[in-house]
Amino acid sequence: HLKDKISNALQRQSETADSTRRNVQEAKASVVELERRILQVKDKASQSEQAVLEITKDMKRLDCAKRHLQRTITALKRLHMLVHAAEQLRLTVRQVPYPDYKTASHLVEALSQLLEHFAAYTAKVEPMKILSGKVTDYQEALRKSVVTGFRVAAFGYAKAMQLEGKKMPDDDDAEDRKEPPAPPTSVLQGGIMLIDALGEDCRKHFIHVFCEDALGDYLKEFEPPDRSVKPERRV
């Protein structure tokens, strides 16, 4: 009975050995197929990664181009505003008998902010240098006009011309002797706004000039003599 059991066990083992061998071969084939598919997936993943890198590279280029384009458009808009404001300031200077100082003060503030954006190009780009110089000339002309307006309002036209070192026209030039009217209070208020817009240094200088004009006669009358100069001896 034991001998029959051993015989049957050996027979079943021999039968299962072939089946096990086939299963092992099938498993090896499955592993090879799985490895091939893994390599394919890896290859496709690498291709996808490369495609993504190309797409992101193009996106970065487009984003960079977009930023440069936005900066260029912004710079062009600011440049257009700068040129337009400079032209408006030029027209304001030519207004008679007195410029619109209130409008000019707003233009001066806007031009100051706009010129800050182009400060790096003012010394390098010749047109920007010329435009900046013109703006400075317009501002100086307006400042002198404000000083003249306050002198005319305070002392009259003749004394104002004397303070500025200008000669009055001859009697023969009747048309040239036509004196401009004294600026009204609203014009003088606009002039103060302009002086404030031109900066603290300009404001201090304007106050100093105004005080000198107002106290000029007092200084001539009451200023003590210079002690360094010896008086002439009288006989």
Side-chain angles (χ1 to χ4, degrees), residues 2-225:
L2 183 60
K3 183 177 180 181
D4 291 338
K5 284 186 176 182
I6 292 173
S7 177
N8 292 332
L10 291 174
Q11 185 177 358
R12 287 195 302 271
Q13 186 177 4
S14 63
E15 291 176 356
T16 57
D18 295 336
S19 177
T20 304
R21 192 180 299 110
R22 287 194 303 269
N23 292 334
V24 170
Q25 291 177 354
E26 290 176 359
K28 288 182 178 180
S30 299
V31 169
V32 173
E33 180 65 19
L34 180 61
E35 183 179 4
R36 184 181 66 82
R37 291 186 179 183
I38 290 174
L39 292 176
Q40 289 180 352
V41 172
K42 185 177 180 181
D43 186 36
K44 290 182 179 180
S46 178
Q47 294 177 1
S48 300
E49 183 181 3
Q50 187 66 26
V52 169
L53 290 176
E54 292 293 333
I55 293 173
T56 53
K57 185 186 296 183
D58 294 338
M59 291 175 64
K60 289 180 180 179
R61 290 177 180 175
L62 290 174
D63 187 56
C64 183
K66 178 184 176 182
R67 288 198 303 269
H68 286 295
L69 186 60
Q70 288 176 343
R71 291 177 182 176
T72 303
I73 293 174
T74 303
L76 286 175
K77 288 182 179 179
R78 288 173 177 170
L79 182 61
H80 176 72
M81 293 170 62
L82 177 62
V83 174
H84 181 71
E87 178 63 18
Q88 292 297 318
L89 189 65
R90 183 185 69 85
L91 296 176
T92 304
V93 173
R94 293 189 174 185
Q95 291 179 355
V96 290
Y98 296 102
D100 185 1
Y101 297 122
K102 184 176 181 180
T103 302
S105 66
H106 299 318
L107 292 173
V108 167
E109 291 177 351
L111 285 168
S112 177
Q113 294 177 1
L114 290 170
L115 286 173
E116 288 181 0
H117 295 289
F118 298 97
Y121 306 98
T122 303
K124 300 178 182 178
V125 182
E126 188 64 23
M128 287 298 303
K129 184 178 181 180
I130 295 174
L131 182 61
S132 178
K134 288 184 177 180
V135 170
T136 303
D137 294 340
Y138 299 152
Q139 292 177 353
E140 180 63 18
L142 287 169
R143 185 195 66 79
K144 291 181 179 179
S145 177
V146 172
V147 174
T148 302
F150 270 84
R151 283 174 171 172
V152 172
F155 311 110
Y157 183 75
K159 181 66 179 295
M161 295 298 101
Q162 180 182 357
L163 290 173
E164 294 185 0
K166 297 180 181 179
K167 295 182 179 180
M168 295 292 293
D170 298 332
D171 295 336
D172 298 335
D173 302 332
E175 295 182 357
D176 295 339
R177 286 186 59 84
K178 185 177 180 181
E179 299 179 1
T185 305
S186 59
V187 174
L188 297 179
Q189 289 174 349
I192 293 300
M193 294 175 63
L194 175 64
I195 294 298
D196 290 338
L198 290 175
E200 185 65 22
D201 293 338
C202 181
R203 185 173 182 272
K204 291 181 180 179
H205 182 264
F206 173 77
I207 294 174
H208 179 73
V209 171
F210 184 81
C211 293
E212 280 189 342
D213 293 342
L215 301 176
D217 295 336
Y218 292 95
L219 293 176
K220 291 180 181 178
E221 294 293 335
F222 302 107
E223 186 177 12

